[in-house]
């Protein structure tokens, strides 16, 4: 099964809003509302920031929001801050009862 | 505080074996699905395997099926990954991650710091 598709890199200026995309298929993103997003800073473990498409775990900034349409999920970061510079990974549960990740997007804050 | 700590990584020759361990603390380990996820060099995250709380069910990505075995010891709050017939493409940072208590085990929180596995001759 191929990985979910994410842009390799995106960039934005402080204060700006940016949206990261994650494209899958009817066997994963399109099949369930089990899309998750993870933030990973260099040398650190991934951190869950979104689960079940739109839900934020306790302690995650409300500057992070997410949605899904068809086979594509999106993560929006509003009021971009320097600390948001990191890799962002999307994932989805699949019809085969497995989990599939995207290739990751490197976010640069200019 | 919920904590996961991997151990057992290292350098291994192609075709060799390695067993990773993950010690868990700060939560009721026996209630949670648990998983292994790896980060390959220059690649994205790759989910490898998930095991049910009572170890009665396990799921694997196709690329490791038949070579890797996930297991757990609830009495010792420990998760394991036995890796056999290792290949160069198995090189990476291996994370232990807590999944959910209920089906499906669709997201992971938290993650350990990772164990580095290098497969090279």
């Amino acid at each position: 099964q191929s990985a979910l598709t994410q842009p390799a890199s995106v960039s934005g200026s402080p204060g700006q809003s940016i949206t990261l995309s994650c494209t899958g298929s009817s066997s994963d993103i399109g099949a369930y509302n089990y899309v998750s997003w993870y933030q990973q800073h260099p040398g650190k473990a991934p951190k869950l920031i979104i689960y079940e498409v739109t839900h934020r775990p306790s302690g995650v900034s409300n500057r992070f929001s997410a949605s899904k349409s068809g086979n594509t999920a999106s993560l929006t970061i509003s009021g971009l801050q320097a600390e948001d510079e990191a890799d962002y990974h999307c994932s989805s549960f699949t019809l085969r009862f497995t989990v599939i990740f995207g290739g990751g997007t490197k976010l640069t804050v200019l | 505080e919920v904590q996961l700590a991997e151990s057992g990584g290292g350098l291994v020759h192609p075709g060799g074996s390695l067993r990773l361990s993950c010690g868990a603390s700060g939560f009721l380990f026996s209630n949670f699905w648990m998983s292994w996820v790896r980060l390959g060099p220059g690649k994205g995250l790759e989910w490898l395997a998930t095991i049910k709380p009572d170890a009665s069910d396990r799921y694997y990505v196709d690329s490791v099926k038949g070579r890797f075995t996930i297991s757990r010891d609830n009495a010792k709050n420990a998760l394991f990954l036995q890796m056999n017939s290792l290949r160069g493409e198995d090189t990476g940072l291996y994370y232990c991650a807590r999944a959910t208590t209920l089906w499906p085990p669709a997201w992971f929180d938290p993650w350990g710091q990772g164990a580095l596995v290098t497969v090279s001759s």
Side-chain angles (χ1 to χ4, degrees):
Chain A
Q1 189 170 13
S2 299
L4 304 176
T5 300
Q6 296 184 253
S9 63
V10 297
S11 61
S13 300
Q16 190 180 1
S17 290
I18 59 102
T19 297
L20 283 60
S21 63
C22 173
T23 301
S25 72
S26 56
S27 298
D28 38 69
I29 291 178
Y32 299 114
N33 287 325
Y34 291 124
V35 177
S36 305
W37 291 88
Y38 302 86
Q39 177 192 61
Q40 186 174 27
H41 288 107
K44 299 293 187 181
K47 173 189 174 184
L48 178 70
I49 56 173
I50 296 287
Y51 66 97
E52 288 185 1
V53 180
T54 62
H55 294 82
R56 277 190 313 276
S58 173
V60 173
S61 171
N62 59 9
R63 295 186 300 105
F64 294 93
S65 62
S67 63
K68 186 191 88 166
S69 177
N71 298 334
T72 298
S74 301
L75 173 72
T76 297
I77 309 174
S78 58
L80 208 56
Q81 298 178 2
E83 67 202 48
D84 298 331
E85 185 162 294
D87 292 330
Y88 290 83
H89 308 273
C90 63
S91 75
S92 177
F93 196 68
T94 81
L95 290 176
R96 298 180 65 194
F97 298 163
T98 63
V99 174
I100 188 169
F101 282 92
T105 295
K106 181 177 180 59
L107 171 62
T108 300
V109 180
L110 303 171
Chain B
E1 182 189 3
V2 175
Q3 289 190 323
L4 299 169
E6 302 90 341
S7 60
L11 173 64
V12 60
H13 294 310
S17 298
L18 209 56
R19 188 191 196 211
L20 301 181
S21 299
C22 171
S25 60
F27 65 100
L28 193 51
F29 181 75
S30 59
N31 276 9
F32 285 83
W33 293 79
M34 296 293 298
S35 299
W36 289 97
V37 180
R38 74 183 171 195
L39 181 64
K43 301 178 185 178
L45 294 170
E46 181 181 25
W47 169 83
L48 298 177
T50 294
I51 186 168
K52 196 174 180 179
D54 65 359
S56 62
D57 218 351
R58 308 159 203 234
Y59 299 89
Y60 298 93
V61 68
D62 286 347
S63 61
V64 308
K65 212 173 284 185
R67 298 190 301 126
F68 290 10
T69 301
I70 188 172
S71 62
R72 64 193 296 161
D73 184 337
N74 286 344
K76 296 182 178 178
N77 290 342
L79 179 72
F80 306 101
L81 186 67
Q82 177 66 43
M83 303 184 292
N84 300 329
S85 303
L86 282 162
R87 308 165 180 166
E89 55 263 38
D90 294 318
T91 293
L93 190 59
Y94 283 68
Y95 294 103
C96 163
R98 187 182 72 172
T100 56
T101 55
L102 300 175
W103 180 266
W107 64 89
F108 311 111
D109 179 42
W111 301 52
Q113 286 303 309
L116 185 61
V117 172
T118 303
V119 183
S120 176
S121 53

